[in-house]
Amino acid sequence: MTAKLVKGTEIREEILKEIAEDVKKIKDEHGKVPGLVTILVGENPASISYVTAKIKTAKELGFKEIQDNQPDDLAEEDLLALIDKYNGDDTIHGILVQLPLPKHVNEKRILNAIDPDKDVDGFHPVNVGRLMIGGSEVKFLPCTPAGIQEMIVRAGVQTEGAEVVVVGRSNIVGKPIANMLLQKGPGANATVTVVHTRTKDLAGHCKRADILVVAAGVPDLVKPEWIKPGACVIDVGVNRVGEKISEKTGKKIAILKGDVDFDAAKEIAGYITPVPGGVGPMTITMLMKNTLASLKFSLEKN
Ligand code: GUN
C-alpha cells in the first residue's frame, strides 16, 4: 500500500483562502482588520526567519501587522512595558513573543503578561486551562496542535472512537494535541494514549494506533513495523540532520528529517505527512486563524 500524502502546503492554501474571505467581509461590515504584532528579542537567525514569515503571511491576508524587533540586551521590565502597550492597543488582536527569549529574561513572566484574550500562541496558562475544559471555553488553540487537528479532519480521517497514540509530552505539541483529541465533539472523541521517554513498550503502543502523532524530536524514531497498516501518521519532527545547497537559491540549507522513517512508513500507513511540507506550514496558518478569531471575539464583546 502507498499512503495518501497529507500535505500542509496544500491544506494551508485552502485555509488562507477562507481567512482572506472573512477578513474582507469583516472589513466591509465593520471597517476593522485583524492586527498582529510579533516581538522578537535578539538576532537568532531561525527566529528572524520565523517572525518574518509570520508577518509576511499576515500582510498578504490584509492584516495590520507590526514586526517589533528588539535588541538582545532589552531589559525584562522594558519587554513587559512593551507587552503592556500592545495589551492596551485596540487595533492589535494578537501578540506573539517569539521564543526562545535571551537567558536574562524570565520566559514564564513574559508569557503570563500577555492579555489571555490576545494570546494567539495559546501558551498563556488561562488558555491552557480553557483547552483542558474544552467546548465553548476554548478561545485560542496552540497553533501546531490546531494545525494537526485540521490536517486529520481535512484528510477525511475519522477521529470518533479512534485509537490515538501521541509520542511526546511537550507543552507545545504532545500534551495539547492529546487533550484536544479526547474532548467531546467533532474532530475529537478519540481514545488517547500519550507515550514518552519513560514508556516501557513504545512499539507496542504505536502498533495499536489508528492515528499516530509523533512529536519526539528524534530522527527516524518510529520504525515501519510500529505502524498499523492503514493508520494515519502525523510526523511533527523537524530534525536538522545536515546541510545541502538549495537547487532553487544556490544557498546552503538544512537537510530536514522527521521522527518517522518516511520512505518505509509510507508503504504501510494509509495517510502520512511529509517532512518538510507537512505539519510545518500549518503552524503559521493557525496563527492567522487565531488572530482573526481574536478580532471576532472583540467585535462580539463590543
Ligand atoms: N518559537 C518556535 N515556535 C514558536 C511558536 O510557535 N511560537 C512562539 N511564540 N515562539 C516559537
Side-chain angles (χ1 to χ4, degrees):
M1 188 203 291
T2 302
K4 181 177 182 299
L5 270 187
V6 184
K7 291 186 187 169
T9 43
E10 285 175 7
I11 298 173
R12 167 179 65 185
E13 295 310 315
E14 279 174 37
I15 299 173
L16 290 178
K17 196 163 159 261
E18 293 164 12
I19 296 173
E21 284 166 8
D22 257 14
V23 169
K24 188 177 177 307
K25 209 166 126 209
I26 294 173
K27 192 175 178 187
D28 290 347
E29 281 175 19
H30 300 276
K32 292 191 174 178
V33 295
L36 174 69
V37 60
T38 60
I39 303 174
L40 170 65
V41 184
E43 290 179 1
N44 177 321
S47 293
I48 292 172
S49 91
Y50 286 140
V51 292
T52 305
K54 287 167 189 176
I55 287 298
K56 179 172 174 275
T57 309
K59 196 171 187 166
E60 284 165 1
L61 288 169
F63 287 18
K64 169 180 174 170
E65 87 309 316
I66 301 173
Q67 185 170 357
D68 194 335
N69 291 358
Q70 295 287 332
D72 186 53
D73 60 356
L74 183 75
E76 187 172 304
E77 296 307 321
D78 292 337
L79 180 53
L80 287 169
L82 199 59
I83 291 169
D84 209 37
K85 180 181 89 168
Y86 292 121
N87 278 343
D89 183 340
D90 289 344
T91 67
I92 293 297
H93 308 95
I95 302 171
L96 179 139
V97 177
Q98 187 67 24
L99 304 176
L101 284 165
K103 286 211 170 58
H104 69 276
V105 178
N106 181 335
E107 196 167 288
K108 211 162 157 188
R109 195 166 170 224
I110 297 302
L111 294 182
N112 290 1
I114 298 171
D115 178 348
D117 289 351
K118 295 190 178 187
D119 168 41
V120 285
D121 252 332
F123 292 166
H124 192 287
V126 166
N127 285 315
V128 176
R130 287 170 172 163
L131 182 156
M132 276 293 270
I133 297 167
S136 59
E137 274 304 312
V138 176
K139 271 218 147 123
F140 304 117
L141 292 170
C143 301
T144 302
I148 293 170
Q149 191 176 34
E150 282 280 355
M151 293 178 98
I152 295 170
V153 170
R154 289 184 190 238
V157 174
Q158 183 63 258
T159 57
E160 179 94 22
E163 287 283 341
V164 172
V165 175
V166 177
V167 185
R169 53 179 161 176
S170 70
N171 288 329
I172 292 181
V173 184
K175 282 193 250 179
I177 189 65
N179 272 296
M180 286 160 60
L181 294 177
L182 64 76
Q183 298 292 346
K184 224 177 227 181
N189 282 332
T191 303
V192 181
T193 306
V194 182
V195 298
H196 48 77
T197 42
R198 305 292 170 92
T199 298
K200 281 184 188 144
D201 181 11
L202 211 52
H205 285 289
C206 292
K207 281 178 190 171
R208 283 190 295 105
D210 301 312
I211 300 171
L212 182 61
V213 179
V214 194
V218 180
D220 287 348
L221 172 74
V222 173
K223 312 292 176 236
E225 60 273 20
W226 297 12
I227 294 168
K228 182 173 167 179
C232 171
V233 179
I234 307 287
D235 189 349
V236 193
V238 184
N239 304 293
R240 285 160 202 265
V241 294
E243 284 182 335
K244 64 178 180 187
I245 302 295
S246 163
E247 280 174 24
K248 255 195 227 161
T249 63
K251 286 187 185 158
K252 231 191 235 176
I253 54 166
I255 301 171
L256 301 178
K257 219 174 195 329
D259 289 352
V260 177
D261 178 354
F262 178 84
D263 289 333
K266 76 178 193 319
E267 301 304 323
I268 299 160
Y271 299 82
I272 192 164
T273 60
V275 178
V279 175
M282 296 298 290
T283 302
I284 292 181
T285 309
M286 302 319 287
L287 176 70
M288 301 302 136
K289 201 168 169 181
N290 277 348
T291 309
L292 171 64
S294 182
L295 167 61
K296 288 183 183 172
F297 292 137
S298 81
L299 290 171
E300 282 165 18
K301 247 197 282 186
N302 297 318

